[in-house]
Amino acid sequence: MEEAKPIHPESLEQPTPALISEAILFVQQIYATYGWYILGSVILGLYVWSKVKPHYEKWRKQKEDDEYAAKVHKNPDLYRARQEAIVAARLRMQEEHDRMAKVKAERAKELEDQKREDWIARQSGSGGQRLGNQQNISNTEPQPGPSKKKSSSFKPEYNPLMGAGSSGGYRPQKRGCPGGGCGKK
């Protein structure tokens, strides 16, 4: 009898095709041999491009302007249509700006009227509540919580963040000359 051939291969990993592995090795050899030259060329190319780019942009813009001028020379209605579109866009933007300015002016006038009313109410003494005033006109019920003012055993001018008071606190020694010298004989 013949031996049965296995259905599955011994290894489930796909071998890398020879063409791809040779291409990868070729690129690695090029980088290993000429890597610094490639890096220098890229840096030099970027430097030259940064110097040439403004001139290229100017040339390209001039070319586009010349092409547009040629189109307008052949068809003057194109220029007129473009100018009318620009004027219409400016009018739309101006109308939007005017509308926003009107809304802002109305808000400013309302705010000014509110300030004036508040000022008149403060002057007549009928409006507003001063800070620290315990009487609340709308709520006549007593406030919950302690009603006595807590007394402090500290002096009223005491502030714990100011230091230890009149004792002066810790002061380090004056720094002398290292080694005890300093020119004394």
Side-chain angles (χ1 to χ4, degrees):
M1 290 194 124
E2 292 181 28
E3 279 187 39
K5 291 182 181 177
I7 297 174
H8 297 290
E10 293 180 21
S11 173
L12 293 178
E13 294 181 14
Q14 292 283 340
T16 305
L19 180 65
I20 294 175
S21 62
E22 288 177 8
I24 290 173
L25 286 175
F26 177 73
V27 170
Q28 286 177 345
Q29 287 176 348
I30 294 293
Y31 279 136
T33 307
Y34 302 109
W36 289 109
Y37 297 115
I38 293 171
L39 180 65
S41 300
V42 167
I43 291 173
L44 182 66
L46 290 173
Y47 176 76
V48 168
W49 177 249
S50 70
K51 296 297 182 185
V52 172
K53 186 177 179 181
H55 300 293
Y56 172 74
E57 294 292 333
K58 183 178 177 184
W59 172 79
R60 193 171 55 109
K61 175 109 172 85
Q62 182 65 35
K63 184 178 175 185
E64 288 175 0
D65 290 345
D66 291 343
E67 288 174 359
Y68 179 72
K71 285 182 184 178
V72 168
H73 184 68
K74 289 180 181 178
N75 187 3
D77 294 333
L78 180 68
Y79 177 74
R80 189 176 315 116
R82 184 172 181 180
Q83 291 301 321
E84 288 174 357
I86 291 173
V87 169
R90 286 182 183 159
L91 285 175
R92 282 194 307 271
M93 290 182 353
Q94 185 66 41
E95 289 171 0
E96 179 70 19
H97 180 268
D98 291 343
R99 186 179 60 79
M100 295 300 286
K102 184 185 280 188
V103 168
K104 188 173 182 179
E106 288 174 4
R107 287 182 186 163
K109 186 174 181 180
E110 290 174 3
L111 183 62
E112 186 64 32
D113 291 341
Q114 182 66 32
K115 284 183 181 180
R116 186 177 302 115
E117 289 173 5
D118 290 346
W119 186 80
I120 291 171
R122 277 194 308 258
Q123 294 301 323
S124 66
S126 63
Q129 180 177 358
R130 295 183 185 259
L131 293 176
N133 188 0
Q134 294 296 328
Q135 298 175 355
N136 192 350
I137 297 172
S138 64
N139 187 6
T140 57
E141 297 176 8
Q143 296 283 336
S147 60
K148 293 184 180 180
K149 189 174 182 181
K150 292 184 179 179
S151 63
S152 176
S153 62
F154 299 118
K155 297 178 183 176
E157 65 271 0
Y158 173 73
N159 184 355
L161 299 176
M162 294 300 291
S166 62
S167 67
Y170 169 75
R171 292 187 185 207
Q173 287 185 0
K174 290 185 179 179
R175 296 182 77 181
C177 296
C182 293
K184 294 183 182 181
K185 292 186 180 181

